Amino acid sequence: MENQAEQHFLLHLAPFEGESISHYLGRWFRKETVNISNSFSLAKKLRLGKTLYRWERFYFNPPPDQEELEKMSGLMGVEIERLRAMFPSEAEPIKPTPIRMCAACYAEAPYHRMAWQFKAMTGCETHRLRLLSSCPSTGCNQPFPIPSQWIRGSCEHCGMKFSSMAKHQKPC
Ligand SMILES: [Zn+2]
Ligand SMILES: [Zn+2]
């Protein structure tokens, strides 16, 4: 019992407000005390098959079920409700690609928001800016990687920082 509590403490990582499950998984894998390097190893450990692969890519059909969430919650030490909050509601249509971003939001808090992949989401309401769906640097246009792979927070092709991309967002 004590061991389990200690493990939960070591593996626990608090999700950010509105953070997408893909981004959260990436942060969790890179946490020092987590000795699991990617979704394949974790899926194998928890016998989750292709589930995590789908979640990282925003394929939520079928949606996460109770058993999957319980397995994750048990290992990661995050309450089921907090895990569930990183998924869209089942009524919310999702656009898995392209990966989108409000760079102004990212500059304030560097993580991918689940709401950016909502089909209905055309722009950021806070900043009144349209979302970016690829690198806006002149001549680059590189698509953003899936958020679990957002490590440096910059374009993999030209190196432009996500946090400096807001000036290229058009008003909406
Ligand atoms: Zn924004
Ligand atoms: Zn670029």
Side-chain angles (χ1 to χ4, degrees):
M1 195 65 204
E2 243 175 48
N3 276 345
Q4 211 175 14
E6 189 179 337
Q7 185 185 331
H8 277 188
F9 174 73
L10 289 172
L11 300 184
H12 178 80
L13 182 67
F16 298 132
E17 180 71 33
E19 184 174 16
S20 67
I21 185 68
S22 176
H23 192 271
Y24 178 77
L25 284 172
R27 282 204 301 132
W28 191 77
F29 294 133
R30 290 188 292 277
K31 189 174 151 66
E32 250 175 49
T33 45
V34 173
N35 208 4
I36 299 170
S37 56
N38 57 47
S39 65
F40 294 105
S41 330
L42 180 60
K44 207 170 160 194
K45 188 176 167 80
L46 294 178
R47 295 174 180 275
L48 281 172
K50 283 257 164 74
T51 299
L52 297 173
Y53 178 91
R54 290 195 293 106
W55 290 356
E56 277 185 292
R57 286 158 184 80
F58 304 109
Y59 300 142
F60 299 129
N61 185 17
D65 65 30
Q66 190 66 16
E67 192 191 338
E68 290 167 337
L69 293 172
E70 275 170 12
K71 284 181 177 177
M72 299 275 288
S73 168
L75 177 71
M76 300 170 111
V78 178
E79 302 84 354
I80 289 184
E81 283 320 303
R82 293 200 77 184
L83 279 176
R84 206 181 272 284
M86 288 184 279
F87 292 88
S89 79
E90 287 183 31
E92 186 73 60
I94 291 299
K95 207 172 180 304
T97 56
I99 299 299
R100 302 193 290 188
M101 174 182 358
C102 172
C105 284
Y106 189 92
E108 287 167 10
Y111 62 93
H112 179 266
R113 276 57 158 187
M114 188 59 247
W116 293 342
Q117 302 307 130
F118 291 178
K119 229 175 214 167
M121 177 78 153
T122 47
C124 170
E125 283 173 14
T126 312
H127 298 104
R128 303 244 149 238
L129 293 171
R130 293 180 60 180
L131 299 183
L132 297 169
S133 50
S134 64
C135 176
S137 168
T138 315
C140 183
N141 215 27
Q142 174 87 359
F144 298 122
I146 56 171
S148 61
Q149 292 164 13
W150 287 12
I151 301 168
R152 285 186 304 270
S154 54
C155 173
E156 289 175 333
H157 183 68
C158 73
M160 182 185 242
K161 283 187 182 157
F162 292 167
S163 56
S164 65
M165 291 178 179
K167 55 182 178 288
H168 299 279
Q169 285 175 266
K170 296 192 177 73
C172 66

